[in-house]
Amino acid sequence: MRPDPLSSRGAGSESSRAPALFGRGRGQGLSDKTLAWLFVGPTVLLLLAFNIFPLLWTIWLSFTNYRANRPGADSVWMGIANYKRVLNDEALWEHMQVTAHFLCWSISLQLLLGFGLALMLNRKFRSHSFWSTAILLPMMLAPAVVGTFWKYFFEPQYGIFNQIVGFFGGPTTFTMLGDTQLSPWAIVLVDTWMWTPYVMLLLLAGLRSIPPYLYEAAEIDRASEWTKFWRVTLPMVMPFILLALLFRTIENFKMFDLVDNLTNGGPGSVTELASISLKREAFEKWRTGYASAFAIILFVAIYGLSLVAVRFLEKVKQR
């Protein structure tokens, strides 16, 4: 049979028309770059509005004598005078020492307890799922809730803590949060209780990422359990330990809400961390320019510590 000329002509015209139609549609549509900016643009604007602009504004305020309770007053340019006052303020250096004490003890306890819990949960046993969930509960609570709970727990009149101490024969008249010697350890205890599960999660991920053949090779060499831990477990988990150290150092350096709910920096100023002192300067004394300079110094300190930790982490990974 001969092909129908009309049908062949129609098919040809449709096929020749198709590329033109598709080409016209591609020309009228949005390019990939435009679509990407449509999706990324709002996020960039939010980042600029809530992160970059406040940082630049704080830097500018740190060179002035601006006070937030006098918005209509003229601001005087002071240069680096605010920074000199911050660095020469002995009270602020005492608050930095309190912060360093809190950092060292809380992070040390969290790493030790978190590593121990990770080693325990890395082994399968009965009720493994129950204990894993129970240990994670403190981390899921808001810091304000945790601070309020422990404040009532330490309450000297009807708190459970004094009753527990009395049950074991100790004094029941002291107040954990009102004693100048005990209150710094109280905030260390509460922070350790809350954030040890977070450290445990990171280290547990590190333990479960260790290849089993390393332990098999150690068993063939008749290595002891201590040798396995020292030569296999610890080196392989070290990057995760440094990561947990970095994250918790940054978070504890700017700790505010938990301590504010527990002691508000008291008694006296024995628990007044750098963040609490910054709040007092900015929103109680209303020395906004001075507080801005203090905030920038804290930002540079945290950023410098983070850079050192990241560089050290990269060297450990390369070994």
Side-chain angles (χ1 to χ4, degrees):
M1 294 178 61
R2 293 183 180 180
D4 188 359
L6 294 176
S7 60
S8 62
R9 190 182 305 136
S13 61
E14 289 177 1
S15 60
S16 62
R17 213 178 298 156
L21 289 174
F22 285 113
R24 196 180 302 124
R26 189 164 52 240
Q28 291 176 352
L30 298 174
S31 64
D32 293 341
K33 188 175 182 180
T34 305
L35 286 172
W37 274 109
L38 285 176
F39 284 105
V40 177
T43 304
V44 174
L45 291 177
L46 289 175
L47 180 65
L48 292 173
F50 292 104
N51 289 316
I52 306 302
F53 175 73
L55 177 61
L56 297 177
W57 180 250
T58 303
I59 293 174
W60 183 83
L61 290 179
S62 67
F63 295 105
T64 67
N65 67 340
Y66 178 77
R67 289 177 174 265
N69 62 337
R70 301 175 186 173
D74 294 333
S75 299
V76 178
W77 182 265
M78 300 182 63
I80 61 173
N82 285 329
Y83 291 92
K84 290 181 179 179
R85 289 172 59 194
V86 171
L87 295 176
N88 293 324
D89 193 338
E90 294 183 0
L92 289 182
W93 283 109
E94 292 179 1
H95 301 155
M96 293 296 289
Q97 290 178 2
V98 173
T99 306
H101 175 273
F102 171 68
L103 279 173
C104 292
W105 283 106
S106 61
I107 293 175
S108 299
L109 290 174
Q110 289 170 29
L111 288 175
L112 289 174
L113 295 175
F115 201 8
L117 290 173
L119 289 172
M120 181 186 72
L121 293 180
N122 194 40
R123 300 180 178 182
K124 297 295 181 180
F125 54 89
R126 285 186 178 182
S127 65
H128 176 274
S129 300
F130 169 78
W131 287 110
S132 299
T133 306
I135 291 173
L136 293 177
L137 282 177
M139 186 184 69
M140 301 177 185
L141 300 175
V145 175
V146 173
T148 304
F149 166 76
W150 280 89
K151 190 172 184 177
Y152 283 109
F153 183 80
F154 287 132
E155 219 286 328
Q157 300 298 326
Y158 50 83
I160 303 175
F161 181 76
N162 279 15
Q163 297 179 17
I164 296 174
V165 174
F167 178 78
F168 289 100
T172 59
T173 56
F174 71 94
T175 169
M176 189 74 172
L177 298 178
D179 189 277
T180 55
Q181 299 294 327
L182 296 177
S183 53
W185 296 105
I187 63 173
V188 169
L189 173 64
V190 176
D191 187 73
T192 301
W193 176 83
M194 183 176 182
W195 291 110
T196 294
Y198 176 78
V199 177
M200 181 206 71
L201 275 181
L202 288 176
L203 302 187
L204 184 60
L207 288 172
R208 293 184 176 176
S209 66
I210 301 176
Y213 67 83
L214 294 178
Y215 292 107
E216 294 172 359
E219 289 178 359
I220 293 174
D221 293 337
R222 297 181 180 181
S224 63
E225 293 296 325
W226 173 251
T227 304
K228 291 178 187 177
F229 174 80
W230 189 254
R231 295 297 180 90
V232 178
T233 305
L234 192 59
M236 296 298 292
V237 182
M238 185 57 68
F240 294 87
I241 294 176
L242 294 177
L243 199 61
L245 176 64
L246 173 62
F247 288 162
R248 292 308 305 143
T249 301
I250 293 174
E251 288 297 322
N252 279 14
F253 203 94
K254 59 182 184 180
M255 176 66 68
F256 173 78
D257 41 8
L258 183 65
V259 180
D260 187 57
N261 275 275
L262 279 172
T263 62
N264 194 25
S269 59
V270 294
T271 61
E272 187 162 331
L273 305 182
S275 57
I276 302 291
S277 177
L278 178 60
K279 186 261 294 186
R280 296 194 193 283
E281 295 292 339
F283 300 108
E284 293 181 10
K285 300 178 182 179
W286 296 104
R287 298 195 294 177
T288 311
Y290 180 83
S292 299
F294 188 22
I296 296 300
I297 291 175
L298 290 179
F299 171 77
V300 172
I302 296 174
Y303 185 73
L305 288 174
S306 302
L307 282 181
V308 172
V310 170
R311 293 286 179 87
F312 189 65
L313 182 61
E314 291 176 353
K315 290 183 179 179
V316 170
K317 286 182 177 180
Q318 291 173 359
R319 291 180 180 177

